[in-house]
Amino acid sequence: MDLQVTVAGQSLGSRGLTLDAGSVVRVVVGMRNLTRSDLPVDSVRLSGTVLGLTFFDYDTRVRTIVPARGSANWTVDVDIRDLDGRATGLLPIEVAIRDTDLHTVASADGTANVRGSLFSIYGLFGLGLLILMGLLWAVALLPLGRHAAPATWWQRGLRFVPAGCAVGLFGVFALSATRLVPPTTVTEVTLTLVAAAACFAAGALLPGMSAARRV
């Protein structure tokens, strides 16, 4: 399948693509069916996903058949007036063509500047990551106060890895919400691994139980 998409007059791969909450956005889709079979199409979906979680999706039914080796074009107006309560910041978005079984048969990806509210589902997700990060740090640091840290350096380091992963995940959210860096797969993996490695190193350098007792 060959798919060409514009959203709000901007190419889906454009850096200037903006989704304004409280508005209706026009999505224009052109698709070429490169197969030898007719393709029944049910709907066009606009969605935004971060860390494998979908924070908004909007479906518009088109109900048509794209002939074999043929093409079709759709212009749909997507009502995103409730986007304010769903997400905000730089988010990966996808426009997908779905068949009558609601399976995706073609899709195109991009990044959008979503102008929603920080008090949205995405904002609450970030708050949850912040709370999780605090709890994991408390679990990692608690043995130090009791002078019960593991004696071996690698065990001490491992105690801080979950807290480091939480730092990385919260960093992904923070960069997205502040519109600095979109949360791509590369960003998510890199930040999480770097933060986990840094926290492992910091934990490994802390004094162990035997050293604390000598002090």
Side-chain angles (χ1 to χ4, degrees), residues 108 152 167 213:
T152 60
V167 170
R213 285 177 176 174

Side-chain angles (χ1 to χ4, degrees), residues 38-184:
D38 293 347
L39 177 65
V41 172
D42 179 80
S43 60
V44 176
R45 164 171 283 193
L46 171 66
S47 61
T49 303
V50 178
L51 295 172
L53 302 174
T54 300
F55 288 93
F56 63 85
D57 53 31
Y58 300 94
D59 291 288
T60 304
R61 304 194 79 173
V62 291
R63 287 186 174 180
T64 188
I65 294 178
V66 184
R69 306 294 185 183
S71 61
N73 296 277
W74 301 280
T75 299
V76 296
D77 291 326
V78 182
D79 187 350
I80 59 172
R81 286 178 293 178
D82 65 342
L83 186 59
D84 188 63
R86 296 196 181 194
T88 189
L90 287 179
L91 269 72
I93 64 170
E94 178 187 74
V95 173
I97 306 300
R98 306 203 300 169
D99 61 17
T100 52
D101 293 323
L102 302 183
H103 297 147
T104 298
V105 295
S107 64
D109 303 315
T111 299
N113 179 8
V114 179
R115 293 180 177 173
S117 172
L118 191 59
F119 300 100
S120 60
I121 295 174
Y122 190 51
L124 293 176
F125 172 71
L127 178 61
L129 286 177
L130 182 62
I131 293 172
L132 175 64
M133 183 175 66
L135 291 174
L136 290 175
W137 272 103
V139 169
L141 293 172
L142 187 61
L144 299 181
R146 297 176 177 176
H147 302 293
T152 60
W153 64 269
W154 61 269
Q155 288 178 319
R156 295 195 300 273
L158 286 177
R159 289 189 64 88
F160 285 82
V161 169
C165 292
V167 170
L169 294 176
F170 181 76
V172 171
F173 164 80
L175 291 173
S176 167
T178 54
R179 298 177 171 83
L180 294 177
V181 180
T184 63

